[in-house]
Amino acid sequence: MKNKKNLLTALLSLIILFAGYLLVRYPLFETHGMKGWPRFLLVICVFIIAISYISKAKILPLATSISYMVGFFTGLLFHTTVVDDIVGSTDNLWIIWTVVILVTVIISGIADFLSARKKN
């Protein structure tokens, strides 16, 4: 029964993640103009969800999938665009997006670790 619940959590996490990716990649493309970075973050998140499935983590897979969209919208909210003569136009949305995902993964990973440790 636990294995089935773990599988359902992983599948639900992947569905949420891919829905977020499709939303960012196609309808919201004009807001960010990135092709490669959303796909890179998707691959990283899929890898984290797979690892969390293997390790039977409960919080990490859902937190990872939700952090993809939360990170994107946080990046949209707080990003800045800088224009200079040497580099041209640069935007930090991708940095904010990535940091939100990383912080979420770290915090939820620690929470899963402490939860598993408490049960034992």
Side-chain angles (χ1 to χ4, degrees):
M1 188 65 174
K2 277 187 179 182
N3 219 8
K4 191 173 184 178
K5 187 175 180 182
N6 191 26
L7 179 63
L8 288 174
T9 301
L11 290 175
L12 177 63
S13 299
L14 289 172
I15 290 169
I16 292 168
L17 178 63
F18 279 104
Y21 171 76
L22 292 174
L23 180 65
V24 167
R25 179 62 183 95
Y26 296 104
L28 296 176
F29 179 75
E30 295 298 320
T31 63
H32 59 81
M34 296 180 282
K35 290 184 182 178
W37 199 251
R39 186 177 27 246
F40 173 75
L41 291 177
L42 171 75
V43 169
I44 296 298
C45 289
V46 167
F47 179 74
I48 291 167
I49 291 170
I51 296 297
S52 68
Y53 171 72
I54 292 167
S55 66
K56 297 182 179 19
K58 293 174 179 31
I59 302 167
L60 184 59
L62 287 172
T64 300
S65 64
I66 293 168
S67 73
Y68 188 86
M69 287 306 297
V70 170
F72 177 75
F73 285 113
T74 303
L76 276 183
L77 187 61
F78 294 109
H79 79 105
T80 56
T81 303
V82 177
V83 179
D84 65 23
D85 295 333
I86 299 170
V87 179
S89 177
T90 58
D91 194 311
N92 65 353
L93 185 149
W94 68 276
I95 296 170
I96 297 168
W97 188 4
T98 304
V99 167
V100 168
I101 291 173
L102 290 175
V103 168
T104 302
V105 165
I106 290 168
I107 290 172
S108 58
I110 290 170
D112 266 328
F113 175 76
L114 293 175
S115 175
R117 192 169 171 205
K118 185 177 178 182
K119 286 183 181 180
N120 294 334

